[in-house]
Coordinates of all heavy atoms in Angstrom, one line a residue:
G1 N 94.2 96.7 80.1 CA 94.5 96.5 81.6 C 95.3 95.2 81.8 O 95.9 94.7 80.8
V2 N 95.2 94.7 83.0 CA 95.9 93.5 83.3 C 95.1 92.5 84.2 O 94.2 93.0 84.9 CB 97.3 93.7 84.0 CG1 98.2 94.5 83.1 CG2 97.0 94.4 85.3
Y3 N 95.3 91.2 84.0 CA 94.9 90.2 85.0 C 96.1 89.9 85.9 O 97.2 89.8 85.3 CB 94.4 89.0 84.3 CG 93.0 89.0 83.8 CD1 92.7 89.6 82.5 CD2 91.9 88.6 84.5 CE1 91.4 89.6 82.0 CE2 90.6 88.7 84.0 CZ 90.4 89.2 82.8 OH 89.1 89.2 82.3
V4 N 95.9 89.7 87.1 CA 97.0 89.2 88.0 C 96.5 88.1 88.8 O 95.3 87.9 89.1 CB 97.5 90.4 88.9 CG1 98.1 91.5 88.1 CG2 96.4 90.9 89.8
A5 N 97.5 87.3 89.3 CA 97.1 86.2 90.2 C 98.0 86.2 91.5 O 97.9 85.4 92.3 CB 97.4 84.8 89.5
S6 N 98.8 87.3 91.5 CA 99.7 87.5 92.7 C 99.4 88.8 93.3 O 99.4 89.9 92.7 CB 101.2 87.4 92.2 OG 102.0 88.0 93.1
D7 N 99.2 88.8 94.7 CA 99.1 90.0 95.4 C 100.3 90.9 95.3 O 100.2 92.2 95.3 CB 98.8 89.7 96.9 CG 97.4 89.0 97.1 OD1 96.5 89.2 96.2 OD2 97.3 88.3 98.1
L8 N 101.5 90.3 95.3 CA 102.7 91.1 95.2 C 102.7 91.8 93.9 O 103.1 93.0 93.8 CB 103.9 90.1 95.2 CG 104.5 89.8 96.6 CD1 105.7 88.8 96.4 CD2 105.1 91.0 97.2
L9 N 102.4 91.2 92.8 CA 102.4 91.8 91.5 C 101.4 92.9 91.4 O 101.6 94.0 90.8 CB 102.2 90.8 90.4 CG 102.3 91.3 89.0 CD1 103.6 92.0 88.7 CD2 102.0 90.2 87.9
A10 N 100.2 92.7 92.0 CA 99.1 93.7 92.0 C 99.6 95.0 92.6 O 99.4 96.1 92.1 CB 97.9 93.2 92.7
R11 N 100.3 94.8 93.8 CA 100.8 96.1 94.5 C 101.9 96.7 93.6 O 101.9 98.0 93.5 CB 101.4 95.7 95.8 CG 100.3 95.3 96.9 CD 100.9 95.3 98.3 NE 101.8 94.2 98.5 CZ 101.4 93.0 98.9 NH1 100.1 92.8 99.2 NH2 102.3 92.0 99.1
H12 N 102.7 95.9 93.0 CA 103.8 96.5 92.2 C 103.2 97.3 91.0 O 103.7 98.4 90.7 CB 104.7 95.3 91.6 CG 105.7 95.7 90.7 ND1 106.8 96.5 91.0 CD2 105.9 95.4 89.3 CE1 107.6 96.6 90.0 NE2 107.0 96.0 88.9
L13 N 102.2 96.7 90.3 CA 101.7 97.4 89.2 C 100.9 98.6 89.6 O 100.8 99.6 88.8 CB 100.8 96.5 88.4 CG 101.6 95.2 87.8 CD1 100.7 94.4 86.9 CD2 102.8 95.6 87.0
R14 N 100.2 98.6 90.7 CA 99.4 99.7 91.2 C 100.4 100.9 91.5 O 100.0 102.1 91.3 CB 98.6 99.3 92.4 CG 97.3 98.6 92.1 CD 96.3 98.7 93.3 NE 95.1 98.0 93.0 CZ 94.8 96.7 93.4 NH1 95.7 96.1 94.1 NH2 93.7 96.2 93.1
Q15 N 101.5 100.6 92.0 CA 102.5 101.7 92.3 C 102.9 102.4 91.1 O 103.2 103.6 91.0 CB 103.7 101.1 93.1 CG 103.4 100.7 94.5 CD 104.5 100.0 95.2 OE1 105.6 99.7 94.6 NE2 104.4 99.6 96.5
K16 N 103.1 101.6 90.0 CA 103.5 102.2 88.7 C 102.3 102.9 88.1 O 102.6 104.0 87.4 CB 103.9 101.0 87.8 CG 105.3 100.4 88.1 CD 105.6 99.3 87.1 CE 107.0 98.9 87.2 NZ 107.9 99.8 86.5
C17 N 101.1 102.5 88.2 CA 100.0 103.1 87.6 C 98.7 103.0 88.5 O 98.0 102.0 88.3 CB 99.7 102.6 86.2 SG 98.4 103.4 85.3
P18 N 98.5 103.9 89.4 CA 97.4 103.7 90.4 C 96.0 103.5 89.8 O 95.1 102.8 90.3 CB 97.5 105.0 91.2 CG 98.9 105.4 91.1 CD 99.3 105.1 89.7
G19 N 95.7 104.1 88.6 CA 94.4 104.1 88.1 C 94.1 103.0 87.1 O 93.1 102.9 86.5
L20 N 95.1 102.1 86.9 CA 94.9 101.0 85.9 C 93.8 100.0 86.2 O 93.6 99.7 87.4 CB 96.3 100.3 85.7 CG 96.3 99.3 84.6 CD1 96.3 99.9 83.2 CD2 97.5 98.4 84.7
N21 N 93.2 99.5 85.2 CA 92.2 98.5 85.4 C 92.9 97.1 85.6 O 93.5 96.5 84.8 CB 91.3 98.4 84.1 CG 90.1 97.4 84.2 OD1 90.1 96.5 85.0 ND2 89.1 97.7 83.4
I22 N 92.8 96.7 86.9 CA 93.4 95.4 87.3 C 92.4 94.5 87.8 O 91.6 94.7 88.7 CB 94.4 95.7 88.5 CG1 95.5 96.7 88.0 CG2 95.1 94.4 89.0 CD1 96.6 96.9 89.1
R23 N 92.4 93.3 87.1 CA 91.4 92.2 87.4 C 92.2 91.1 88.1 O 93.3 90.8 87.7 CB 90.7 91.7 86.1 CG 90.0 92.8 85.3 CD 89.5 92.3 84.0 NE 88.7 93.3 83.3 CZ 88.2 93.1 82.1 NH1 88.3 91.9 81.5 NH2 87.5 94.1 81.5
L24 N 91.5 90.4 88.9 CA 92.0 89.3 89.7 C 91.7 88.0 88.9 O 90.5 87.7 88.7 CB 91.5 89.2 91.1 CG 92.2 88.2 92.0 CD1 93.7 88.6 92.2 CD2 91.5 88.0 93.3
G25 N 92.7 87.3 88.4 CA 92.5 86.1 87.7 C 92.3 84.9 88.6 O 92.6 84.9 89.8
M26 N 91.7 83.8 88.0 CA 91.2 82.7 88.9 C 92.4 81.9 89.4 O 92.2 81.2 90.4 CB 90.3 81.8 88.1 CG 90.8 81.1 86.9 SD 89.5 80.1 86.1 CE 90.4 79.3 84.8
N27 N 93.6 82.0 88.9 CA 94.7 81.3 89.5 C 95.0 81.7 90.9 O 95.6 81.0 91.7 CB 96.0 81.4 88.6 CG 96.0 80.4 87.5 OD1 95.0 79.7 87.3 ND2 97.0 80.3 86.7
R28 N 94.7 83.0 91.2 CA 94.9 83.5 92.6 C 94.0 82.7 93.6 O 94.3 82.5 94.7 CB 94.5 84.9 92.6 CG 94.3 85.6 94.0 CD 95.6 85.6 94.8 NE 95.4 86.2 96.1 CZ 94.8 85.7 97.2 NH1 94.4 84.4 97.1 NH2 94.7 86.3 98.3
L29 N 92.9 82.2 93.1 CA 91.9 81.5 93.9 C 92.2 80.0 94.1 O 91.7 79.4 95.0 CB 90.5 81.7 93.4 CG 90.1 83.1 93.0 CD1 88.8 83.1 92.2 CD2 90.0 84.0 94.2
L30 N 93.0 79.5 93.2 CA 93.2 78.0 93.2 C 93.8 77.5 94.5 O 93.6 76.4 94.9 CB 94.0 77.6 92.0 CG 93.4 77.7 90.7 CD1 94.5 77.6 89.6 CD2 92.3 76.7 90.5
M31 N 94.6 78.4 95.1 CA 95.3 78.0 96.3 C 94.5 78.2 97.6 O 95.0 77.9 98.7 CB 96.7 78.7 96.4 CG 97.4 78.7 95.0 SD 97.6 77.1 94.2 CE 98.3 77.6 92.7
E32 N 93.4 78.8 97.5 CA 92.6 79.2 98.7 C 91.7 78.0 99.1 O 91.0 77.4 98.3 CB 91.7 80.4 98.4 CG 92.4 81.7 98.2 CD 93.1 82.2 99.4 OE1 92.6 81.9 100.5 OE2 94.1 82.9 99.3
K33 N 91.8 77.6 100.4 CA 91.1 76.5 100.9 C 89.6 76.9 101.2 O 88.7 76.1 101.2 CB 91.7 75.9 102.1 CG 93.1 75.2 101.8 CD 93.7 74.6 103.1 CE 95.0 74.0 102.7 NZ 95.7 73.3 103.9
K34 N 89.5 78.2 101.6 CA 88.1 78.7 102.0 C 87.7 79.8 101.0 O 88.2 80.9 101.2 CB 88.2 79.1 103.4 CG 86.8 79.6 103.9 CD 86.8 80.0 105.4 CE 85.4 80.4 105.9 NZ 85.5 80.8 107.3
R35 N 86.9 79.5 100.1 CA 86.5 80.5 99.1 C 85.0 80.7 99.4 O 84.1 80.3 98.6 CB 86.7 80.0 97.7 CG 88.1 79.7 97.3 CD 88.3 79.3 95.9 NE 87.3 78.3 95.4 CZ 87.5 77.0 95.5 NH1 88.7 76.6 96.0 NH2 86.6 76.2 95.1
D36 N 84.6 81.4 100.4 CA 83.3 81.7 100.7 C 82.9 83.1 100.2 O 83.7 83.8 99.6 CB 83.0 81.6 102.2 CG 83.8 82.5 103.1 OD1 84.5 83.4 102.5 OD2 83.9 82.3 104.3
A37 N 81.6 83.5 100.4 CA 81.1 84.7 99.9 C 81.9 85.9 100.5 O 82.2 86.9 99.8 CB 79.6 84.9 100.1
G38 N 82.2 85.8 101.8 CA 82.9 86.9 102.4 C 84.3 87.1 101.8 O 84.7 88.3 101.6
F39 N 85.0 86.0 101.4 CA 86.3 86.1 100.8 C 86.1 86.8 99.4 O 86.9 87.8 99.1 CB 86.8 84.7 100.6 CG 88.1 84.7 99.8 CD1 89.3 85.2 100.3 CD2 88.1 84.1 98.6 CE1 90.5 85.1 99.6 CE2 89.3 84.0 97.8 CZ 90.5 84.5 98.3
Y40 N 85.2 86.4 98.6 CA 84.9 87.0 97.3 C 84.5 88.5 97.4 O 85.0 89.3 96.7 CB 83.9 86.3 96.5 CG 84.3 85.0 95.8 CD1 84.0 83.8 96.2 CD2 85.2 85.1 94.7 CE1 84.4 82.6 95.6 CE2 85.6 84.0 94.1 CZ 85.2 82.8 94.5 OH 85.7 81.6 93.8
N41 N 83.7 88.8 98.4 CA 83.2 90.2 98.5 C 84.4 91.1 99.0 O 84.5 92.3 98.6 CB 82.1 90.3 99.6 CG 80.8 89.7 99.0 OD1 80.5 89.8 97.8 ND2 80.0 89.1 99.9
M42 N 85.3 90.6 99.8 CA 86.5 91.3 100.2 C 87.4 91.6 98.9 O 87.9 92.7 98.7 CB 87.3 90.5 101.2 CG 88.6 91.2 101.7 SD 90.0 90.7 100.6 CE 90.2 89.0 101.0
L43 N 87.6 90.6 98.1 CA 88.4 90.8 96.9 C 87.8 91.8 95.9 O 88.5 92.6 95.3 CB 88.6 89.4 96.2 CG 89.4 88.4 96.9 CD1 89.4 87.1 96.1 CD2 90.9 88.8 97.1
A44 N 86.5 91.8 95.9 CA 85.8 92.8 95.0 C 86.0 94.2 95.4 O 85.8 95.1 94.6 CB 84.3 92.5 95.0

């Protein structure tokens, strides 16, 4: 599968392979000022 840190890239790869195992890497979170439980639950 893949890890991604970009929403753009996640959409791009999903279009190529909708069923692929895609994990969200922690660099995606580094730029977020508000990382509360609601934010994490939405990403999940």
